[in-house]
Amino acid sequence: MEPPPPPPAPPTFPSPAPPALRLAPNATLRYIPVPKTGSEATRRFLGRFKEVFYHIGTHKMNVGLPRIEEPWDEAKSVRVATWRDPVERFLSTLHAILDGPNAHPNDRPYNDILPRPFNRTMDALVADRAAMQKLAAGAGSGHFLPQHRFLLSRDRCLTVHFLVDFRHLQTALPALASWLGLTVRHTGWIAKPFERVNDVKRGEHEYKIAE
């Protein structure tokens, strides 16, 4: 029996989409960073393009955004966000907090919820309702806030036009930029690859922009 054919290759970059599929004239692409979904690497990648707007601020500033009112090809502000498997995201966030310096003032509340050395099992932490409620409510810098707080408005409607799966950032982001016809700020930036880096611990992944 012959093996099944391979899946179709994703769109290549920088092959552009037909003009009818590009952003509206004078429109901007706004990136909504969801913590621990490759947001830093995504921000740096999208920062290569003239049409991209990224607001530098706290994660909590992007909670409860207004719903999108127009289709992406008519909107003057098109929003994109990244999404990650919730369990993997929680574990990655937990290890980042426990292994990091925790020096930022906004991160100090984590010291009471996640004391170090951290001797609890994962089951014990998840079963601790008080601790989990504090994390989900946005304790510290808000890294544990559920993703729907960023992706849904207060009336439970979508806040973004495009949602990119964390597992496919390396191919999906360049394809999206190409599809939307984004304009590179400097042609030399095209050669800088968008790399995926696997952490030592199983189930954790990081992305980075090669310098």
Side-chain angles (χ1 to χ4, degrees), residues 12-203:
T12 56
F13 179 67
S15 300
L21 296 179
R22 299 186 184 183
L23 291 176
N26 300 319
T28 59
L29 185 71
R30 180 180 177 185
Y31 175 55
I32 309 300
V34 178
K36 300 306 293 180
T37 64
S39 58
E40 180 63 22
T42 300
R43 179 187 68 81
R44 294 180 64 190
F45 175 80
L46 292 177
R48 303 173 177 186
F49 303 99
K50 297 178 181 179
E51 295 87 352
V52 173
F53 170 81
Y54 175 80
H55 180 78
I56 300 178
T58 65
H59 289 298
K60 296 178 182 179
M61 294 175 63
N62 293 296
V63 169
L65 294 172
R67 66 164 78 180
I68 54 175
E69 300 286 355
E70 301 173 301
W72 71 268
D73 55 344
E74 298 178 8
K76 292 298 182 183
S77 178
V78 178
R79 300 179 192 160
V80 60
T82 44
W83 176 90
R84 187 175 187 178
D85 176 84
V87 175
E88 182 181 290
R89 176 176 176 260
F90 179 86
L91 293 175
S92 179
T93 305
L94 179 63
H95 287 302
I97 297 299
L98 295 178
D99 298 340
N102 231 12
H104 194 281
N106 291 338
D107 288 335
R108 289 173 184 165
Y110 291 134
N111 294 333
D112 295 329
I113 307 170
L114 305 170
R116 290 179 283 181
F118 187 73
N119 298 320
R120 307 181 69 180
T121 66
M122 191 59 58
D123 288 341
L125 174 61
V126 173
D128 187 337
R129 173 175 288 188
M132 293 298 291
Q133 286 180 338
K134 290 178 181 178
L135 294 177
S141 298
H143 288 84
F144 288 94
L145 279 166
Q147 293 173 98
H148 72 266
R149 297 284 302 278
F150 300 89
L151 306 177
L152 295 178
S153 62
R154 299 187 188 280
D155 55 354
R156 312 295 290 181
C157 294
L158 284 173
T159 61
V160 297
H161 296 87
F162 294 99
L163 190 59
V164 181
D165 191 326
F166 175 86
R167 297 170 297 176
H168 306 296
L169 288 183
Q170 188 172 0
T171 55
L173 280 178
L176 179 64
S178 172
W179 193 57
L180 296 177
L182 302 184
T183 308
V184 180
R185 296 178 186 272
H186 189 282
T187 55
W189 291 1
I190 287 292
K192 294 186 178 181
F194 188 86
E195 296 181 342
R196 176 169 180 159
V197 180
N198 292 329
D199 290 346
V200 176
K201 297 178 182 178
R202 182 179 178 183

